[in-house]
Amino acid sequence: MQDIKIQNLCKAYGEKQVLNNFSAIFGYGKITCIMGKSGAGKTTLFRILMNLEKQDSGTIIGLQNKKIRAVFQEDRLCEELDVISNIRLVNAKNDKKTVQNALCKMGITENKLVSTLSGGMKRRVSILRALMSEFDVLFLDEPLKGLDKDTKQLVLHEMKGYFQNKTVIMITHEIEEAEFFGGKIVGIEV
Amino acid sequence: MRKNIKLWAVLFWLIVWQVVSMRLNQQILLVSPVRVITRLSELIITKDFWLAIAFSASRIIGGFIIAVIISCLLAVLASRFKRVDELLAPFMLTIRSIPVASFIILALIWFSSKNLAVLISFLMVMPVMYSNILTGIRTIDSKMHEMAQVFEIPPIKQMRYIYIPHIFKYFESACAVCLGLSWKSGVAAEVIGMPDGSIGECLQQAKVYLDTPDLFAWTLVIVCVSLFFERLFLLLLSKIKILVLRMD
């Protein structure tokens, strides 16, 4: 397994240059936090790394044949499915009991339809879906956005348990979150 | 709207109907609800009554089902290929704009009246169903598609758990509208075409002989049968939805 190396990444939308010669190394099996102002290109960087968009120029090494998973800025859950089914949709190897236990640890005790959940609950389901999928590299785009202080602490502790020897890259605006994981912090500027 | 209908309000209007009918005292102009129920109870025990319902229902529902199948196929093709969408747009607009009576008369020139209701029900349902399903397909959130791509969800699972449930909402509402529409247009076609042994023929006979109790009784039958099929179909759809979304 190798580090993820990004060299001179550029991306523009029309006249607007979003990423300008961005370079970074994300260590294999490490947690890296990306911080920067809104509009600095953090989400665009993630989209390029997840192969949802193409860069204008620059190279990315170390993501080939890797199982990439993500917590998006939005929940992106199947509203018509219940909580357990949403999590099992991305990894059927998880049996219902295991998912139920993991949900309890996240403070979700009932297997309701996602459409009936509160915003905070949906967020936690979205996080757990990514954590319980099999992944080599996990991208987290402001995963704790919208959660209250206590729930944030609960989720942060739970997340840490899934991060052992995994490459995790997280976008956050909160320095406390970055410090909690104790990994490298990468700044991104326009 | 149907949830808003209260029994007391229905009873109130039935009483108004009964009082007005008694005051008029002209059974040809306005038959009383009691007389309608009496006539209906006489009709129900006859074999011809049930044969007429079977005749019309089989054709109207047949046209509806054919329209559902063809609209689904066309909507999928139109969402996939722009040219198909462009090709079908004027066709669908024309069908929607032409009055049903024109279609019925035209169809009577071309075909026999026996299966007229199938064609008319089909023509009335197809454009509505097609546009609803197409809207359903077009409003699929691209973000969900990205999620499926990142999590490498197999195409069949994507279809079953992400796309179909979304389109289903549009399909369900189209069915609720179209089932009533197919009955109204189908019976109208039968009234004009008068195929032997149909509900439309019974209605036409009632008109010819100024048999108002029969006219009201058959109208009530059409409303009841249409509602029955609507409920049955929507119940069936909800069961199918549960089956589709079930995860082992």
Side-chain angles (χ1 to χ4, degrees), chain A residues 28-56:
Chain A
Y28 164 73
K30 301 275 169 55
I31 301 168
T32 309
C33 288
I34 299 175
M35 299 191 78
K37 287 179 183 169
S38 298
K42 303 182 295 294
T43 302
T44 303
L45 172 68
F46 262 28
R47 291 181 62 78
I48 294 168
L49 293 175
M50 287 190 281
N51 203 23
L52 296 175
E53 275 185 53
K54 288 272 170 253
Q55 68 268 37
D56 297 334

Side-chain angles (χ1 to χ4, degrees), chain B residues 165-230:
Chain B
H166 175 78
I167 300 164
F168 215 87
K169 285 181 268 183
Y170 291 84
F171 179 68
E172 227 171 359
S173 69
C175 283
V177 172
C178 289
L179 274 160
L181 193 68
S182 65
W183 272 95
K184 280 179 197 158
S185 57
V187 171
E190 286 181 349
V191 168
I192 298 172
M194 287 213 300
D196 289 340
S198 67
I199 293 178
E201 191 205 14
C202 297
L203 271 177
Q204 182 66 288
Q205 296 284 355
K207 184 208 128 188
V208 170
Y209 296 111
L210 294 174
D211 192 347
T212 319
D214 256 34
L215 182 70
F216 274 71
W218 276 111
T219 306
L220 191 62
V221 168
I222 295 162
V223 171
C224 291
V225 174
S226 166
L227 277 176
F228 169 75
F229 276 106
E230 188 186 315

Side-chain angles (χ1 to χ4, degrees), chain A residues 118-135:
Chain A
S118 68
M121 280 176 151
K122 283 183 185 175
R123 200 72 203 128
R124 279 176 274 167
V125 175
S126 174
I127 293 168
L128 198 58
R129 176 181 65 183
L131 295 176
M132 294 192 83
S133 62
E134 290 175 334
F135 63 88

Side-chain angles (χ1 to χ4, degrees), chain B:
Chain B
M1 191 177 155
R2 260 179 219 157
K3 281 178 190 164
N4 203 23
I5 291 174
K6 304 286 178 209
L7 184 66
W8 70 265
V10 176
L11 287 173
F12 172 81
W13 289 112
L14 281 173
I15 291 165
V16 170
W17 179 9
Q18 179 70 33
V19 170
V20 174
S21 160
M22 284 162 71
R23 294 278 295 202
L24 267 174
N25 201 22
Q26 293 277 337
Q27 291 289 301
I28 287 177
L29 286 179
L30 187 66
V31 68
S32 72
V34 175
R35 179 75 189 97
V36 173
I37 298 296
T38 313
R39 180 64 191 132
L40 192 60
S41 61
E42 288 164 10
L43 283 171
I44 271 176
I45 51 167
T46 64
K47 190 183 163 193
D48 286 347
F49 171 84
W50 295 105
L51 285 175
I53 290 177
F55 181 95
S56 298
S58 60
R59 279 150 182 87
I60 291 167
I61 299 298
F64 173 82
I65 290 169
I66 295 167
V68 167
I69 295 166
I70 292 179
S71 325
C72 286
L73 291 173
L74 292 178
V76 170
L77 285 173
S79 68
R80 186 79 183 80
F81 306 105
K82 199 180 160 216
R83 292 282 178 228
V84 176
D85 180 32
E86 287 169 356
L87 184 74
L88 290 174
F91 177 68
M92 293 295 173
L93 184 71
T94 310
I95 297 178
R96 272 189 162 194
S97 313
I98 293 175
V100 64
S102 306
F103 269 130
I104 296 166
I105 294 161
L106 196 64
L108 275 173
I109 298 168
W110 292 343
F111 317 106
S112 75
S113 64
K114 196 184 171 192
N115 294 317
L116 182 66
V118 180
L119 179 72
I120 298 304
S121 162
F122 167 80
L123 287 172
M124 291 299 108
V125 170
M126 195 182 61
V128 182
M129 196 60 83
Y130 168 82
S131 75
N132 264 45
I133 297 169
L134 191 57
T135 308
I137 296 172
R138 283 188 176 150
T139 52
I140 288 172
D141 192 353
S142 62
K143 286 176 180 170
M144 289 303 286
H145 179 71
E146 286 180 355
M147 182 279 288
Q149 194 183 323
V150 169
F151 282 93
E152 295 174 279
I153 300 171
I156 292 174
K157 274 192 170 181
Q158 285 184 38
M159 192 59 85
R160 183 171 171 184
Y161 298 112
I162 300 172
Y163 305 134
I164 290 179
H166 175 78
I167 300 164
F168 215 87
K169 285 181 268 183
Y170 291 84
F171 179 68
E172 227 171 359
S173 69
C175 283
V177 172
C178 289
L179 274 160
L181 193 68
S182 65
W183 272 95
K184 280 179 197 158
S185 57
V187 171
E190 286 181 349
V191 168
I192 298 172
M194 287 213 300
D196 289 340
S198 67
I199 293 178
E201 191 205 14
C202 297
L203 271 177
Q204 182 66 288
Q205 296 284 355
K207 184 208 128 188
V208 170
Y209 296 111
L210 294 174
D211 192 347
T212 319
D214 256 34
L215 182 70
F216 274 71
W218 276 111
T219 306
L220 191 62
V221 168
I222 295 162
V223 171
C224 291
V225 174
S226 166
L227 277 176
F228 169 75
F229 276 106
E230 188 186 315
R231 290 282 159 88
L232 185 74
F233 201 79
L234 293 178
L235 181 77
L236 204 69
L237 281 185
S238 68
K239 298 280 177 205
I240 291 170
K241 192 177 173 183
I242 292 167
L243 270 178
V244 168
L245 291 177
R246 200 175 63 185
M247 207 179 276
D248 300 319

